[in-house]
């Protein structure tokens, strides 16, 4: 996998998370909340596509990095936020920015989960395989 492949996976997971909800008001959440009765077939189709995207991403993330990896990445991103706060780059009063950082962090966790098997193979030479008996 190349850096471009890694970047594409991160972009995909960020689009999935931010397309589901974001503070701008342009998201699936806001679209459905604005009136459930209008465009119902299109909203149902979009919901199914989002669920498929999340099933793929969450399943791959849990299988490649597990709970421990998710917690470690979340801790790393939280520590980065803490450093940014400590140096004055972030303020807790800016709630909108906090929303964005949490959403972007969720997308990054899913993106790393999608990429981790490839990264691990490049670093260690070990392959990850799924159980075929499922």
């Amino acid at each position: 996998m190349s850096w471009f492949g890694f970047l594409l996976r991160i972009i995909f997971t960020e689009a999935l998370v931010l397309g589901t909800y974001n503070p701008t008001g342009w998201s699936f959440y806001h679209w459905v909340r604005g009136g459930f009765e209008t465009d119902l077939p299109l909203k149902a189709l979009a919901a199914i596509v989002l669920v498929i995207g999340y099933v793929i991403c969450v399943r791959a993330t849990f299988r490649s990095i597990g709970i421990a990896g998710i917690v470690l990445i979340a801790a790393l991103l939280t520590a980065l936020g803490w450093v940014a706060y400590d140096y004055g780059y972030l303020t807790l009063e800016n709630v909108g920015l906090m929303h964005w950082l949490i959403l972007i962090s969720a997308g990054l966790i899913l993106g790393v989960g999608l990429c981790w098997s490839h990264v691990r193979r490049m670093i260690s030479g070990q392959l990850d395989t799924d159980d075929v008996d499922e």
Side-chain angles (χ1 to χ4, degrees):
M1 183 178 72
S2 66
W3 283 106
F4 183 69
F6 183 79
L7 183 62
L8 280 178
R9 285 172 174 84
I10 297 293
I11 290 171
F12 170 75
T13 56
E14 291 296 346
L16 182 67
V17 171
L18 296 175
T20 304
Y21 174 80
N22 66 65
T24 66
W26 290 86
S27 68
F28 177 76
Y29 169 80
H30 292 96
W31 183 36
V32 170
R33 188 170 176 228
F36 192 73
E37 300 80 23
T38 59
D39 297 325
L40 189 57
L42 193 55
K43 289 176 182 174
L45 176 64
I48 292 167
V49 168
L50 285 174
V51 168
I52 290 169
Y54 277 108
V55 166
I56 291 168
C57 290
V58 170
R59 182 173 163 85
T61 298
F62 274 100
R63 291 188 72 89
S64 65
I65 61 175
I67 294 288
I70 292 169
V71 169
L72 285 172
I73 295 169
L76 175 67
L77 294 171
T78 302
L80 285 171
W82 188 6
V83 168
Y85 172 77
D86 197 44
Y87 281 91
Y89 296 114
L90 287 178
T91 63
L92 297 178
E93 291 79 32
N94 191 344
V95 177
L97 179 61
M98 291 299 146
H99 281 137
W100 280 106
L101 291 175
I102 291 168
L103 292 168
I104 289 169
S105 295
L108 284 173
I109 291 169
L110 290 175
V112 169
L114 283 181
C115 299
W116 187 249
S117 291
H118 299 290
V119 172
R120 182 172 184 242
R121 183 179 59 207
M122 289 187 312
I123 293 171
S124 69
Q126 297 177 348
L127 293 175
D128 290 335
T129 59
D130 290 336
D131 297 331
V132 293
D133 295 330
E134 294 184 346

